[in-house]
Amino acid sequence: MREFTMRPEVMDFESYTPGLTIEQIKERYGLDQVIKLASNENPLGASPVVQKVIERHAASVFRYPQNHSPRLVAELSRHLGVDESHIVVGNGSDEIIDMLIRMKCRPGMDNILCYSNSFSMYKLTARLCGVEYREVPRGDDLALPLDALAEAVDEKTAMVFVTSPDNPTGLAASVEDLSVLAGVLPENCLLVVDEAYIDFVWPPESYTPMQAYDKFSNLVVLRTFSKAYGLAGMRLGYGVMPASIADYLKRARLPFTVNLLAEEAGIAALNDEEFYHATLDAVMRGRDYLRDELEKLGCEVVPSQANFLMFTPPAPAQKLFKELLKKGVIVRPLASFGLGRSIRVNVGTESENKAFIQAMAEVLNNE
């Protein structure tokens, strides 16, 4: 068979391997019920209002959507208090990350800066685009190393990524610290703050720079509909950025990347305040419950501002993960983040949270 030459950047890539599905776990272990607490999804599912909107527009899927999703952009502008010229909607915030790197960074010349044990998409996309990716180590107790990021920047750094709240720790950077970091970056360097979990911080005014967006000239804020709005399967996200950067992204992007149903779902989700606040209530109450119960079981729990908790159990993490699978509970071991002693669990419904804690207690008591 003929061998084709591919770009060197992709020669050693390995396909993303997701965890086992609920159906696979049921079949493997002969279970009737499985609880998935591994992917930071919305514990309440999708809003009933949004589901009805999707059903109502299902017959229109033979039509192309409007390019750049102008109706959703207008709704986001009203919702955020940011001019439409600063907003780019994407097929998940991952698409915005990809566009920013492809359109801002020069392969073989520029570099991107982040920190260790972080979300993998920044590194993966940088490598795919032929852009150097650099990391600085975290601080004590896995703190976000903003000072170290500032010190590591050079004249070829095109972007600095900060996830806040952070995945997988749940730690968040303050507005003041992000403002200082933005202020010391070189003139041509963007500070990209990935706020996938920002809805779950408290108090919100202490953590998101969005409310003072007009004070920044080099800030990009990324957000998603996957978490608080329960639309992970629709793949919908957006970025708020300088208007000049947004204009370049819109000019050079592929057309129609956000599908018609996703745009309708996003508009409906933004206006369903009842479901949104019910989600926040469920997450914050569940987060407190899980933290308290995990600590009673002897786990070291990282203080979280997200819809998940990272903890180090008093037993080998990989063994605990496998034993929980046998009991029908899926959590996320963090070896792929370079944190092999730890596990991440997202907040579920009240009954799911209690079932998880019961399963944890049973496994640890048998150690």
Side-chain angles (χ1 to χ4, degrees):
M1 185 176 237
R2 182 184 300 180
E3 289 288 334
F4 292 94
T5 301
M6 306 297 286
R7 286 176 52 210
E9 292 89 354
V10 304
M11 293 296 288
D12 60 348
F13 262 51
E14 294 184 6
S15 178
Y16 176 75
T17 305
L20 296 174
T21 65
I22 290 175
E23 290 71 24
Q24 288 171 321
I25 296 296
K26 286 181 177 179
E27 182 177 353
R28 175 175 292 190
Y29 297 108
L31 299 169
D32 295 324
Q33 184 174 351
V34 171
I35 297 170
K36 183 184 178 189
L37 301 175
S39 300
N40 303 339
E41 294 158 338
N42 191 307
L44 305 185
S47 156
V49 172
V50 171
Q51 293 181 52
K52 289 179 181 178
V53 166
I54 293 172
E55 292 173 2
R56 191 161 66 245
H57 288 87
S60 301
V61 295
F62 73 100
R63 300 287 188 193
Y64 284 104
Q66 284 184 278
N67 204 21
H68 307 311
S69 310
R71 293 176 54 247
L72 178 55
V73 168
E75 195 61 40
L76 283 167
S77 174
R78 186 185 69 80
H79 188 77
L80 299 170
V82 173
D83 189 83
E84 293 180 27
S85 63
H86 292 271
I87 301 171
V88 178
V89 175
N91 185 241
S93 52
D94 288 350
E95 187 194 7
I96 310 295
I97 294 169
D98 178 60
M99 285 196 292
L100 283 168
I101 293 175
R102 282 191 294 114
M103 298 177 198
K104 176 74 171 67
C105 302
R106 299 168 298 175
M109 298 177 65
D110 293 332
N111 64 74
I112 290 169
L113 193 60
C114 192
Y115 45 83
S116 58
N117 317 114
S118 185
F119 184 46
S120 63
M121 188 55 60
Y122 317 133
K123 180 178 182 180
L124 186 152
T125 308
R127 286 183 59 203
L128 185 59
C129 294
V131 177
E132 182 185 1
Y133 177 82
R134 299 177 179 177
E135 287 183 345
V136 301
R138 287 178 179 263
D140 296 338
D141 297 323
L142 299 175
L144 305 186
L146 302 192
D147 290 342
L149 287 172
E151 293 172 2
V153 168
D154 63 27
E155 69 279 1
K156 294 295 181 65
T157 304
M159 289 182 217
V160 174
F161 279 92
V162 175
T163 312
S164 181
D166 174 56
N167 180 16
T169 67
L171 298 171
S174 70
V175 173
E176 291 78 11
D177 288 343
L178 291 171
S179 299
V180 170
L181 179 57
V184 301
L185 295 181
E187 184 176 348
N188 194 41
C189 182
L190 294 175
L191 173 59
V192 184
V193 183
D194 190 340
E195 293 189 340
Y197 303 97
I198 198 64
D199 300 276
F200 309 111
V201 302
W202 190 262
E205 63 272 9
S206 297
Y207 294 100
T208 176
M210 183 75 81
Q211 59 208 359
Y213 187 80
D214 55 350
K215 296 181 181 178
F216 298 90
S217 61
N218 62 341
L219 176 69
V220 176
V221 175
L222 305 178
R223 290 188 177 179
T224 180
F225 284 84
S226 296
K227 313 303 180 185
Y229 294 104
L231 297 180
M234 299 300 291
R235 308 310 304 130
L236 186 63
Y238 63 94
V240 178
M241 63 196 72
S244 59
I245 300 290
D247 180 55
Y248 283 120
L249 264 60
K250 291 174 184 176
R251 283 195 242 168
R253 76 184 302 178
L254 296 173
F256 310 126
T257 57
V258 176
N259 70 71
L260 185 148
L261 294 183
E263 180 175 24
E264 296 294 347
I267 293 170
L270 286 172
N271 288 287
D272 188 355
E273 294 186 5
E274 182 178 351
F275 179 81
Y276 177 78
H277 289 295
T279 294
L280 300 192
D281 180 65
V283 166
M284 292 180 181
R285 285 190 295 105
R287 188 169 66 193
D288 289 344
Y289 168 79
L290 289 177
R291 181 198 62 227
D292 293 344
E293 295 301 317
L294 285 169
E295 288 178 347
K296 291 177 185 176
L297 291 172
C299 300
E300 296 178 19
V301 184
V302 178
S304 176
Q305 290 277 11
N307 67 338
F308 57 81
L309 291 167
M310 173 179 151
F311 65 95
T312 302
Q318 192 64 30
K319 181 179 180 182
L320 177 60
F321 163 68
K322 292 178 179 178
E323 292 301 315
L324 288 173
L325 280 185
K326 295 176 183 177
K327 293 181 175 294
V329 179
I330 310 173
V331 294
R332 176 69 185 270
L334 295 177
S336 62
F337 282 86
L339 299 166
R341 295 179 58 243
S342 298
I343 287 174
R344 191 190 68 200
V345 59
N346 66 253
V347 178
T349 62
E350 184 175 356
S351 62
E352 288 173 338
N353 296 336
K354 290 180 178 179
F356 161 67
I357 292 298
Q358 180 179 341
M360 279 282 296
E362 292 172 356
V363 172
L364 291 175
N365 287 336
N366 288 329
E367 279 293 308

